[in-house]
Amino acid sequence: MPGTAEMNKWVEEMAAQCEPKNIVWCDGSEAENHSMIEDMLDSRELIRFNQKKWPGCYLHRSHISDVARAEKKTFICTDKHEDAGPNNNWMLPKEAMSRVFPLFKGAMKDRTMYVLPYIMGMPGSPMARVGLELTDSAYVAASMRIMTRMGSIALEQKEALKKGFVRGLHSKGDLDPERRFIVHFPKEETIWSIGSGYGGNALLGKKCFALRIASSIGKREGFLAEHMLIVGLQSPEGETTYIAAAFPSACGKTNLAMLTPPAHMAGWRVFTVGDDIAWMWWAEDGTLRAINPEAGFFGVVPQTSMKTNPNAMETIRKNTIFVNVAMTQDAMPWWEGSDSPPPAEAWDWRGHPWTPTSSEKAAQANSRFTTPARQCPSISPKWEDPQGVPISAIVFGGRRSQLAPLVYEAFNWSHGVYVGSGMATETTAAQSDYGMMTRRDPMAMLPFCGYNMADYFQHWLDMGKKAGAKLPKIFNVNWFRTGANGKYLWPGFGENMRVLRWIAERAQGKGKAVETPIGFVPAEGAIDTDGIDVTKETMRELSGVDPEAWLAETEDHEAFFGQFGKRLPAGITAEMEALEKRLGKK
Ligand code: OXD
Ligand code: MN
């Protein structure tokens, strides 16, 4: 076997449990990928799209009960419940051993076990870490090859391998949701996933490793593993400011990561470094550096179009695996919100005949593209820099129809940590069984923090105390505030660049602002509104801070933080009390 002795031993042990018919170590080569794709076309695990129009693009259909991350079946396994925290489902490691591990017994009979060595991060980066995923899904193997640097290259990372490797065991099992488990062992840096073939549950480098396991390693080792996009904003003078931004799902993260500046801002450019995950650490020179540990984008397809995200559209034109989109009769992908009108006849995501009069959607609401980041026209020339990019601003955001201004800047790092910890977003009826509700999602990490979130807040506060650190400024944005008529006050999309520009200016000590109890909002005229239909009054409304409503918000914070009991850092309580005082609480 080509791996390290420790890898080979683990593969043997897992093979003894899973009993695969054969074991294939993947080298990541073009030839290997080609033959795997041919096999999947034969078995209908993949369907070929029109190769003239969509070269290298394929359709994969998942089981209809397996279309999203299974949060209820996702567990953190620690000896003590409080180490997983109230934010996670928890299981004792020995319970996982008796309840989950047996599900792998013989699970790969008649199947191939693919052994995938991969790197999260890029070769030669001080942050790079190696993972080894064992899977019985060829679709997972082909997707991991897009999403990570996969194959022999991972085995050549001598420095990274000194830190060991993250073990990931994946089997589709029988796809029964009752026997679906995604369990994480942060101490052992191990993941077991069974019963799902969906990306977020099965591509173990992504949410499981790069967020849940890495966040817990980050706590031990002093770095941050965050659910953040990274962009570089280049001014007409050629100066680039890097921003990392956390948003819960359905807030347009991929669109923001690939934003096209409006015509009005000629000379400005946005460079994409990452769209989902950032690992950040203090460099010797005191800057906060960030890498995107992934090599691809696993993005939501519906509503992606030349209007909402032309860079994504360009990116997914080739070498892309689509999951659960519709297929037209001439073998083209189609989805709701695409640039082409609905086809007269198509196959929907389940493979059933579909017409525009069908009551069901043609593409599944969470249908996805898996596409190489290097194909993105806006990809940053620095996206593979092993030393990452220097972050000048951290942005938090959510979907709030009321309350939160378009943008505000925290007073300092610890206030910014409080702002992030109080993040919330309104779900839409499409996302939640309960209809509209405000979901607290600190730093957009609620489903991804691999340990007690109270300790995570403390880790953030501690990161800000590093001697010599050049602390980035922290901001909060809200593109979704509505006026009395229920309509959005801000045009959004490319126009968000105007707000990013103010953020970049503030990060450089420029840009005019006014102090309010919640932080600094843009001074009148500080955000350029030339050429858009946003009046001075609207800008005032967008920057409005209602003390009563904010005091009600802090009560909500208090209720949410209450679940962490004594473990909640004093630094968070102090920030909340200071805010209440500024708001005039008696
Ligand atoms: C998510 C994703 O669920 O990126 O956040 O897929
Ligand atoms: Mn995500």
Side-chain angles (χ1 to χ4, degrees):
M1 287 199 267
T4 63
E6 214 184 331
M7 284 177 169
N8 296 342
K9 181 166 170 280
W10 183 66
V11 172
E12 262 170 35
E13 284 166 13
M14 295 306 108
Q17 178 75 353
C18 301
E19 301 169 20
K21 91 171 175 244
N22 58 338
I23 299 178
V24 173
W25 279 76
C26 292
D27 62 12
S29 66
E30 204 52 69
E32 171 190 87
N33 188 51
H34 180 79
S35 90
M36 216 158 3
I37 285 178
E38 288 300 318
D39 289 350
M40 283 192 278
L41 289 167
D42 286 347
S43 65
R44 302 286 289 168
E45 216 175 328
L46 286 186
I47 297 167
R48 194 179 257 129
F49 280 128
N50 181 322
Q51 294 295 296
K52 275 218 178 83
K53 299 264 172 53
W54 295 83
C57 293
Y58 303 94
L59 168 65
H60 173 74
R61 291 192 182 121
S62 77
H63 189 273
I64 56 165
S65 72
D66 187 28
V67 293
R69 281 188 294 101
E71 285 188 21
K72 289 196 176 129
K73 307 308 287 288
T74 300
F75 290 81
I76 300 293
C77 299
T78 49
D79 292 334
K80 290 198 214 125
H81 190 174
E82 68 217 52
D83 290 336
N87 45 297
N88 281 306
N89 299 317
W90 171 74
M91 209 187 269
L92 267 172
K94 69 170 189 259
E95 186 187 345
M97 199 42 148
S98 63
R99 206 171 144 202
V100 181
F101 197 57
L103 298 175
F104 286 96
K105 188 70 200 160
M108 297 187 188
K109 271 196 182 126
D110 307 322
R111 297 182 190 167
T112 297
M113 175 191 268
Y114 299 95
V115 182
L116 319 175
Y118 64 96
I119 322 170
M120 296 314 290
M122 53 292 287
S125 172
M127 296 301 287
R129 286 186 114 93
V130 174
L132 193 67
E133 175 161 355
L134 316 182
T135 178
D136 55 9
S137 161
Y139 153 76
V140 166
S143 300
M144 282 292 283
R145 184 172 179 271
I146 297 174
M147 293 304 296
T148 72
R149 288 135 183 121
M150 189 196 97
S152 317
I153 189 164
L155 302 174
E156 292 158 15
Q157 305 307 305
K158 299 281 175 278
E159 271 310 302
L161 279 165
K162 285 186 189 154
K163 297 178 188 155
F165 62 96
V166 171
R167 292 157 167 76
L169 175 63
H170 169 253
S171 169
K172 289 181 291 183
D174 59 9
L175 293 176
D176 183 337
E178 289 303 311
R179 284 187 288 277
R180 180 172 297 160
F181 288 98
I182 301 102
V183 295
H184 305 71
F185 303 84
K187 199 165 68 185
E188 293 77 10
E189 300 181 10
T190 296
I191 306 148
W192 296 341
S193 168
I194 186 151
S196 169
Y198 171 76
N201 304 323
L203 309 181
L204 300 184
K206 193 175 180 62
K207 303 297 186 181
C208 301
F209 175 173
L211 287 176
R212 297 193 192 97
I213 296 291
S215 64
S216 109
I217 300 176
K219 163 86 174 143
R220 293 200 296 272
E221 295 185 3
F223 67 89
L224 293 169
E226 297 300 322
H227 192 200
M228 288 183 177
L229 63 91
I230 310 167
V231 284
L233 261 52
Q234 193 188 68
S235 70
E237 294 74 41
E239 196 179 353
T240 306
T241 307
Y242 292 95
I243 297 177
F247 296 87
S249 34
C251 289
K253 202 142 135 255
T254 302
N255 294 353
L256 189 65
M258 299 178 191
L259 183 145
T260 309
H264 177 73
M265 288 182 70
W268 284 85
R269 290 189 68 180
V270 173
F271 288 109
T272 310
V273 180
D275 81 325
D276 196 39
I277 299 178
W279 286 356
M280 303 193 286
W281 75 103
W282 295 115
E284 296 273 306
D285 64 359
T287 54
L288 186 67
R289 314 286 304 193
I291 58 163
N292 163 17
E294 302 190 276
F297 305 125
F298 180 65
V300 175
V301 175
Q303 304 309 323
T304 303
S305 68
M306 289 308 280
K307 175 170 177 278
T308 61
N309 195 337
N311 285 316
M313 287 305 296
E314 276 297 310
T315 313
I316 64 180
R317 277 266 153 209
K318 55 183 185 195
N319 307 322
T320 299
I321 300 178
F322 289 85
V323 184
N324 292 342
V325 297
M327 186 168 89
T328 66
Q329 295 213 316
D330 46 357
M332 311 277 255
W334 190 82
W335 55 87
E336 279 73 15
S338 82
D339 295 297
S340 2
E345 280 179 278
W347 288 279
D348 74 7
W349 66 277
R350 294 165 304 179
H352 297 167
W354 183 93
T355 71
T357 59
S358 301
S359 55
E360 307 271 348
K361 290 234 182 336
Q364 210 278 331
N366 191 35
S367 50
R368 296 278 177 151
F369 54 73
T370 313
T371 195
R374 69 184 132 76
Q375 293 182 180
C376 181
S378 60
I379 200 75
S380 162
K382 297 257 184 215
W383 86 282
E384 294 201 282
D385 189 327
Q387 301 304 325
V389 295
I391 298 295
S392 303
I394 291 176
V395 177
F396 296 118
R399 179 184 280 270
R400 303 295 299 261
S401 52
Q402 306 293 320
L403 190 82
L406 175 63
V407 57
Y408 65 98
E409 177 190 326
F411 293 117
N412 52 44
W413 180 272
S414 58
H415 177 228
V417 174
Y418 168 65
V419 169
S421 67
M423 249 170 80
T425 200
E426 282 157 18
T427 58
T428 60
Q431 279 170 279
S432 161
D433 296 340
Y434 311 104
M436 287 279 278
M437 61 179 277
T438 304
R439 184 190 196 210
R440 298 246 154 244
D441 187 358
M443 279 95 162
M445 281 289 278
L446 193 66
F448 306 119
C449 180
Y451 60 102
N452 190 320
M453 212 148 203
D455 300 349
Y456 168 77
F457 298 151
Q458 186 63 57
H459 179 44
W460 263 86
L461 292 169
D462 292 344
M463 285 287 290
K465 292 181 195 141
K466 170 94 176 167
K470 294 181 187 139
L471 299 174
K473 292 198 169 172
I474 301 183
F475 299 80
N476 193 86
V477 299
N478 174 27
W479 319 128
F480 302 97
R481 193 153 167 172
T482 55
N485 59 3
K487 294 229 168 81
Y488 291 125
L489 292 170
W490 180 251
F493 297 107
E495 307 301 347
N496 293 339
M497 181 69 190
R498 298 168 191 257
V499 177
L500 296 185
R501 177 180 179 176
W502 181 77
I503 289 174
E505 285 167 358
R506 291 293 295 170
Q508 290 154 7
K510 300 180 267 176
K512 298 231 164 20
V514 184
E515 188 170 340
T516 77
I518 65 163
F520 296 108
V521 298
E524 201 165 299
I527 290 191
D528 176 7
T529 51
D530 265 13
I532 46 172
D533 188 19
V534 178
T535 62
K536 271 196 183 131
E537 289 66 42
T538 304
M539 276 315 279
R540 244 173 258 142
E541 205 177 337
L542 275 165
S543 291
V545 175
D546 172 358
E548 285 302 307
W550 273 96
L551 277 171
E553 176 78 356
T554 59
E555 270 172 36
D556 231 56
H557 285 175
E558 212 169 330
F560 176 75
F561 291 145
Q563 66 183 310
F564 299 106
K566 289 211 178 62
R567 215 132 155 166
L568 185 73
I572 294 290
T573 315
E575 285 296 341
M576 188 170 69
E577 286 170 0
L579 171 61
E580 287 172 336
K581 203 161 151 216
R582 292 194 299 271
L583 290 165
K585 185 173 178 183
K586 308 271 169 352

